[in-house]
Amino acid sequence: MDATHEAALIRDIKTLSERVWERRVQEPDIERWLSNFDGRVFDVAAERMHALHLLRHFVYFGAREMRVLLEALYRDIYRYPIVQQIRHRAGDTLDSTFIADEFAGELRRTRFIAMGNPSESGSHLMYYFRQVNSLPKGLFVSQHELASGPLTDPETRLVPHDLTRIVFLDDLLGSGQQATSYSRSVVRDIRAVAARDGRSLTISYYTLFAKSIGLDAARRTSFDDVRALHEIDESQMAFAANSRVYHGCGAYTSMEEGRALAEGYGSLLTTDPLGYRDGQLLLGFQHNVPDNTLPIFWFDEPEPTWEPIFPRFQKVY
């Protein structure tokens, strides 16, 4: 029975890889990853089944999907709301030329910034966001390019002089910790510089994906507008009470045993065995895998030895 189920799961995963995962995972990759599970939680055959079940529910966004998502982020979260505001201010006008001209002005007075360090995944997205939406290069800046000097310098002024909108972009809003940290430092300092000039800025944080808890946390900060293209609820978390991962899974696995496997091996790899701040995600992107995802998928450090199925590029401080 186990051998039959295992073969079926591997077949499903190979189909996913072929059709959805850009052929990122081949059968030898699966076997290398399964070799990590050596019987320290359950017997080896059972561990392989639990691991394969989790892998079968992994959600991977390749280059093509990321481009579609970035188009939707710009269109649905940035452009459409501004167009609605323009129409409302002009008595619900349908004059397409007027709307296009007004929107061009709003866009010109906007700057897009990657959330996080320039070397992190938010910055990686900026190139594709600009490319797929045919946006001018000058609209994309680093934090220090927003001002004439250090943000904490009382002589510093914002540039350009007519800047009205700053948009921070990200791929995933997990716990909300980074948004909270930015709000208390970078966003606070930007607002202080604007206030010295008597200027009002709209500072937004837009992300492709967000956990509900992270959205709630970010919306309690000083960002004016926090939105996600897709909100990740508990049903998409591996071991939440209403998780879809174990809905109708059959007798070969269970949520309790799957969690025991992920925690048992995850605790050997990191202090967050189910992902950063109990992330419990089964999510990966073409450019990287979030640390909110189960570490058994992505851990790729020299010690301890582990064969990842979707390696994560770690931050080096």
Side-chain angles (χ1 to χ4, degrees):
M1 179 69 74
D2 284 349
T4 301
H5 276 115
E6 179 175 309
L9 286 169
I10 290 176
R11 186 167 57 248
D12 288 349
I13 291 164
K14 288 167 64 178
T15 300
L16 274 172
S17 183
E18 181 74 22
R19 298 181 180 178
V20 183
W21 294 352
E22 299 180 326
R23 301 181 179 179
R24 281 284 299 270
V25 174
Q26 303 299 318
E27 190 160 357
D29 303 313
I30 298 171
E31 288 298 335
R32 276 195 298 272
W33 180 63
L34 288 174
S35 71
N36 295 305
F37 304 101
D38 56 11
R40 68 186 65 200
V41 178
F42 304 108
D43 66 72
V44 172
E47 289 187 354
R48 288 170 65 96
M49 294 293 290
H50 295 312
L52 286 168
H53 179 80
L54 288 168
L55 181 58
R56 183 174 177 268
H57 286 82
F58 194 89
V59 179
Y60 172 81
F61 290 89
R64 180 180 58 188
E65 290 81 12
M66 292 300 294
R67 288 171 181 267
V68 171
L69 289 169
L70 291 168
E71 286 182 9
L73 181 69
Y74 174 74
R75 180 189 65 233
D76 298 344
I77 295 184
Y78 175 78
R79 185 174 183 274
Y80 282 175
I82 293 176
V83 168
Q84 289 174 345
Q85 293 170 11
I86 292 168
R87 291 192 60 230
H88 180 72
R89 291 197 301 263
D92 293 326
T93 181
L94 296 176
D95 185 333
S96 59
T97 301
F98 172 81
I99 293 170
D101 289 344
E102 288 293 304
F103 177 77
E106 293 285 352
L107 181 62
R108 187 178 63 251
R109 294 187 291 272
T110 297
R111 291 297 179 270
F112 297 98
I113 304 177
M115 195 68 163
N117 185 282
S119 65
E120 294 176 11
S121 58
S123 294
H124 180 93
L125 294 179
M126 300 297 274
Y127 172 77
Y128 295 106
F129 182 81
R130 178 175 68 84
Q131 185 183 63
V132 300
N133 294 302
S134 302
L135 297 173
K137 183 179 179 181
L139 300 182
F140 295 81
V141 298
S142 59
Q143 293 171 27
H144 74 271
E145 293 175 301
L146 279 174
S148 60
L151 291 174
T152 53
D153 187 333
E155 300 301 318
T156 291
R157 295 295 181 266
L158 291 178
V159 290
H161 66 88
D162 59 348
L163 180 68
T164 59
R165 193 184 306 267
I166 297 171
V167 177
F168 287 88
L169 296 175
D170 207 354
D171 51 8
L172 174 69
L173 168 57
S175 66
Q177 182 184 39
Q178 187 176 51
T180 301
S181 175
Y182 260 60
S183 173
R184 293 172 178 170
S185 55
V186 177
V187 174
R188 177 201 62 197
D189 293 342
I190 291 172
R191 290 199 188 281
V193 174
R196 288 199 291 269
D197 286 341
R199 295 164 60 181
S200 176
L201 284 178
T202 298
I203 304 179
S204 304
Y205 177 20
Y206 298 154
T207 181
L208 294 175
F209 297 89
K211 293 185 68 176
S212 301
I213 189 173
L215 276 176
D216 291 342
R219 285 169 175 162
R220 292 193 296 268
T221 69
S222 61
F223 283 102
D224 295 302
D225 189 24
V226 178
R227 302 192 200 190
L229 192 62
H230 176 76
E231 182 173 347
I232 300 171
D233 61 27
E234 284 195 348
S235 71
Q236 295 164 281
M237 295 169 61
F239 310 115
N242 60 340
S243 173
R244 293 184 299 205
V245 174
Y246 287 92
H247 180 70
C249 63
Y252 68 87
T253 189
S254 68
M255 182 184 295
E256 293 74 17
E257 292 183 350
R259 181 176 185 130
L261 179 89
E263 284 186 323
Y265 283 94
S267 64
L268 303 175
L269 308 176
T270 172
T271 55
D272 292 299
L274 298 183
Y276 182 66
R277 294 203 167 188
D278 195 36
Q280 297 190 32
L281 297 186
L282 306 171
L283 177 66
F285 304 124
Q286 174 255 345
H287 57 281
N288 210 357
V289 179
D291 60 0
N292 313 80
T293 289
L294 298 181
I296 59 171
F297 291 118
W298 55 258
F299 186 84
D300 191 23
E301 294 289 306
E303 294 292 336
T305 301
W306 187 263
E307 290 285 349
I309 191 78
F310 286 100
R312 168 179 163 79
F313 301 102
Q314 293 280 33
K315 300 176 185 178
V316 179
Y317 295 98

